[in-house]
């Protein structure tokens, strides 16, 4: 199942996996490496917060960044 989440991205859910897609043009990152570095840095800052879920994988799919989340448990 795939549906828009907000005006910037869309979500795709299959079994226990959720994938969030956002167009690269809507971010300040110019490539995947830059996005991963910023994302990991923010993850370290928020590591102890129970209110955030962090992606298990980041990739580029066509012209969009894709954040993959495992939804087990």
């Amino acid at each position: 199942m795939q549906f828009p989440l907000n005006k910037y991205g869309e979500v795709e859910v299959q079994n226990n996996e959720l994938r969030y897609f956002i167009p690269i043009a809507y971010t300040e990152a110019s490539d995947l490496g830059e996005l991963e570095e910023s994302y990991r840095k923010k993850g370290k800052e928020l590591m102890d917060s129970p209110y955030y879920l962090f992606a298990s994988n980041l990739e580029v799919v066509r012209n969009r960044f894709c954040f993959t989340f495992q939804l087990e448990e």
Side-chain angles (χ1 to χ4, degrees):
M1 171 174 49
Q2 189 172 20
F3 55 92
L5 179 64
N6 55 32
K7 67 180 183 177
Y8 300 112
E10 57 190 36
V11 170
E12 178 180 280
V13 179
Q14 290 183 337
N15 301 322
N16 290 333
E17 185 176 272
L18 180 141
R19 297 173 72 193
Y20 173 65
F21 298 92
I22 184 169
I24 295 171
Y26 290 170
T27 70
E28 294 180 11
S30 59
D31 62 27
L32 184 58
E34 184 180 342
L35 176 72
E36 284 180 325
E37 183 179 333
S38 297
Y39 192 74
R40 302 293 176 217
K41 183 178 178 183
K42 184 54 79 173
K44 288 178 183 177
E45 292 175 21
L46 300 171
M47 186 180 301
D48 296 326
S49 175
Y51 305 109
Y52 292 93
L53 176 66
F54 292 96
S56 57
N57 187 45
L58 301 173
E59 62 184 320
V60 173
V61 177
R62 291 181 295 279
N63 63 343
R64 303 177 297 170
F65 286 127
C66 175
F67 297 79
T68 302
F69 300 87
Q70 297 302 318
L71 303 177
E72 298 173 30
E73 299 180 29

